[in-house]
Amino acid sequence: MRFDADYKMLIDGKLVDADDKMDVINPATGKPFASCPRASKLDLDASVDAAQRAFKTWKKTSTDERRALLRKAAGLIGENADALASLFTKEQGRPTDLAKQEILGASYWLASTADLDLPVDVTEDTDSRRIEVHHVPLGVVCGIVPWNFPVLLASWKIAPALLAGNTIVLKPSPFTPLCTLKLGELFQEAFPPGVFNVISGGDELGPWMTSHEGFAKISFTGSTATGKRVMESASKDLKRVTLELGGNDAAIVLPDVDVEKVTEQLFAGAFGNTAQICVATKRLYVHEDIYDAVRDKMHALAKAAPVGDGSAQGNMFGPIQNKAQYERVLNLMEDAKKDGLNMLYGSDVPEEGYFIPITIVDNPPEDSRVVKEEAFGPILPMMKFSDVDEVIARANDTEYGLAGAVWSANIEKAVEIANEMETGTVWINQNLQSTPLTPLAGHKQSGLGAENGIYGLREFTQPKSVYIPKSAEAVK
Ligand code: NAD
């Protein structure tokens, strides 16, 4: 199998092209390097029809059969991790060693989710009757994925959807379709025709999917603005939705931390994947006693960090993934400069491609755009605080509620602060962690429902209550 060409969709177990094509850009050069199918409405209909047909038999397979096939799929990803990682770097931009971590992460997620169970719950068991609650599959799932973690986030949908007995049509972002199309080709060997389908397309494909009446559920990851459109579209026929959306995550750093060690972690938590992580630290609140020391160390790390083409050895950070996002982040930086904010720049970046230097904004006002908006790029506002209650209020003063972090040598105090944070996830002295057993769920406008673990798995099912008499006589 080739990873540098032949990008096709997987529909009904067959690799298919579309009449139309679209270019895929390498963000490190800003130039197209491949093309892939641009699905038509007919391609979408064909994938949904195939998934509906396959659902009739897939839902009747045992959980153990489905587990075995998910483990097989996990193995196929693992065996092809190097080839997938180098393709990943070309379309997404991230340095290849880090790209490989995502690929292996997806394999791990498929295998770990396969271990989950959906036991029948019993709510009553008396002499006269037994009431069982079964968790039955919904039908065909529409999976929509963004460009920042295209493979891992796809695995978060594929694994629970299929384990629960649904079938799926998956759509990657138009900016990062290639690795996902190759997953389709690999999974031809794992799943029966129609159980797993991948279609690629332009901006029109997402709305076609969310309004398609053949889907029973939409599992969406992306921005809050798009999430609202998805929910509106799904409301027409009450499709189930899970929405994993944007965030403007705060980290609170107390004065008792080891500045040297913690700052390295803060830096990684803010700028990993060139700050294109939904749960990255996007607002950094540091106690005034250590503010200058943390800021200077952050700036030194930024100046020392190599930024460049992820395919070249030694680069720690790649480009912004696409032109629209690049222009958004540049605009945010220009605005911050115009407002006279103190900008601390990191190392120089290549002129070609969508590169932006790592930038720290030194103590901007709380109401500036760079604090209020999710940047989703390497521009981090760092703010001083003196009072813990006041900083918790500032951290919570946002429409978002995805994740947050507290850093302190005093765990008890940190837990107290964590309990006050209005976020779906909060880390103490760590960040960017997630596990296949632990839900990721956004508060407020960061999402609806949860992914991962039993919490995420249940979202791909419908509870069905069955009242069973103990004898053939009617129960009074
Ligand atoms: P986006 O909302 O622009 O696009 C996400 C996906 O939705 C893409 O596949 C896109 O083609 C599709 N899409 C676009 N318009 C659509 C529509 N009207 N109907 C249906 N689908 C549509 O987001 P993005 O720019 O790709 O990703 C960045 C955003 O995703 C950030 O806000 C980030 O915080 C968020 N994100 C959240 C999580 C999480 O788990 N909460 C994880 C990763 C990224």
Side-chain angles (χ1 to χ4, degrees):
M1 174 174 160
R2 287 183 64 176
F3 284 83
D4 61 348
D6 303 335
Y7 303 108
K8 302 247 169 64
M9 304 188 284
L10 183 72
I11 300 177
D12 205 9
K14 294 180 212 64
L15 294 173
V16 298
D17 225 329
D19 291 338
D20 230 353
K21 292 268 185 195
M22 55 187 204
D23 282 339
V24 184
I25 311 279
N26 179 341
T29 62
K31 298 195 175 83
F33 74 100
S35 68
C36 75
R38 181 173 193 142
S40 65
K41 267 195 177 161
L42 289 178
D43 295 320
L44 169 61
D45 287 344
S47 66
V48 178
D49 285 351
Q52 281 184 328
R53 279 194 306 276
F55 178 62
K56 292 190 185 123
T57 42
W58 181 251
K59 69 178 177 186
K60 292 189 181 146
T61 54
S62 71
T63 310
D64 277 344
E65 279 172 73
R66 303 200 284 258
R67 284 194 176 109
L69 299 188
L70 281 169
R71 290 182 188 125
K72 185 169 179 186
L76 289 165
I77 296 181
E79 285 159 27
N80 293 281
D82 286 319
L84 282 167
S86 77
L87 177 61
F88 187 110
T89 299
K90 286 200 193 87
E91 66 172 340
Q92 204 278 343
R94 193 181 314 153
T96 309
D97 51 340
L98 301 171
K100 189 169 171 187
Q101 285 179 17
E102 173 164 345
I103 304 293
L104 294 175
S107 169
Y108 172 67
W109 234 270
L110 288 183
S112 303
T113 305
D115 292 338
L116 293 176
D117 205 6
L118 272 175
V120 170
D121 298 326
V122 177
T123 55
E124 189 181 307
D125 195 4
T126 59
D127 290 345
S128 62
R129 68 180 182 183
R130 179 178 159 88
I131 307 175
E132 295 181 350
V133 183
H134 298 245
H135 302 281
V136 300
L138 297 166
V140 182
V141 171
C142 159
I144 299 182
V145 181
W147 44 261
N148 63 332
F149 281 82
V151 178
L152 184 68
L153 295 178
S155 76
W156 290 15
K157 303 187 186 313
I158 300 164
L162 299 191
L163 181 69
N166 305 280
T167 55
I168 188 166
V169 179
L170 187 69
K171 185 195 90 63
S173 164
F175 298 115
T176 51
L178 302 182
C179 282
T180 316
L181 293 171
K182 286 295 161 188
L183 285 193
E185 198 171 334
L186 287 172
F187 291 179
Q188 238 186 336
E189 269 185 53
F191 301 111
V195 168
F196 176 74
N197 307 270
V198 187
I199 54 175
S200 51
D203 291 343
E204 62 287 347
L205 184 56
W208 288 347
M209 290 176 84
T210 57
S211 58
H212 197 294
E213 55 194 26
F215 288 112
K217 170 171 177 100
I218 302 167
S219 176
F220 172 84
T221 305
S223 64
T224 296
T226 310
K228 289 177 186 175
R229 287 196 278 275
V230 168
M231 192 160 165
E232 195 182 346
S233 177
S235 73
K236 308 253 160 41
D237 50 2
L238 283 186
K239 291 185 182 73
R240 278 38 179 172
V241 287
T242 300
L243 303 174
E244 291 289 359
L245 308 178
N248 196 7
D249 298 1
I252 297 174
V253 188
L254 300 191
D256 59 1
V257 298
D258 175 335
V259 168
E260 282 293 305
K261 275 195 199 147
V262 163
T263 306
E264 280 180 15
Q265 284 171 276
L266 293 173
F267 185 79
F271 295 112
N273 198 28
T274 316
Q276 302 163 114
I277 303 184
C278 54
V279 290
T281 295
K282 292 170 187 156
R283 294 176 292 150
L284 179 56
Y285 293 99
V286 181
H287 191 273
E288 59 185 3
D289 290 355
I290 55 164
Y291 180 88
D292 288 357
V294 173
R295 178 200 57 205
D296 294 348
K297 170 92 183 164
M298 289 284 278
H299 191 197
L301 289 169
K303 284 194 286 191
V307 181
D309 187 338
S311 302
Q313 281 289 324
N315 283 324
M316 196 188 269
F317 299 107
I320 298 289
Q321 199 282 322
N322 61 75
K323 190 157 182 251
Q325 184 62 15
Y326 172 68
E327 285 170 353
R328 243 203 95 243
V329 180
L330 280 184
N331 176 272
L332 205 55
M333 287 183 80
E334 285 307 316
D335 250 26
K337 260 193 268 177
K338 257 191 248 150
D339 288 346
L341 303 181
N342 187 25
M343 318 279 278
L344 308 172
Y345 298 109
S347 58
D348 290 343
V349 299
E351 277 181 16
E352 199 191 29
Y354 308 141
F355 291 97
I356 290 186
I358 289 178
T359 305
I360 291 149
V361 188
D362 180 15
N363 206 24
E366 196 68 32
D367 62 356
S368 50
R369 247 188 97 198
V370 73
V371 181
K372 287 288 170 212
E373 286 184 24
E374 179 190 34
F376 222 59
I379 172 166
L380 176 73
M382 262 188 83
M383 282 78 67
K384 271 185 209 180
F385 75 89
S386 53
D387 178 76
V388 166
D389 289 337
E390 181 238 11
V391 80
I392 294 171
R394 286 162 75 187
N396 285 338
D397 183 20
T398 165
E399 73 264 30
Y400 293 113
L402 195 55
V406 185
W407 300 82
S408 173
N410 182 340
I411 306 292
E412 217 173 300
K413 178 79 195 157
V415 170
E416 271 174 34
I417 297 173
N419 289 341
E420 294 297 316
M421 290 179 80
E422 296 164 354
T423 56
T425 296
V426 57
W427 296 290
I428 294 165
N429 296 343
Q430 57 198 302
N431 52 25
L432 305 184
Q433 301 295 307
S434 58
T435 86
L437 295 183
T438 314
L440 185 80
H443 265 216
K444 305 187 202 169
Q445 294 189 33
S446 284
L448 196 75
E451 285 196 299
N452 295 332
I454 196 69
Y455 310 87
L457 184 57
R458 283 215 172 127
E459 300 227 350
F460 289 92
T461 66
Q462 169 72 39
K464 178 175 179 181
S465 305
V466 186
Y467 289 63
I468 308 162
K470 289 283 168 76
S471 76
E473 278 169 46
V475 178
K476 276 187 218 145

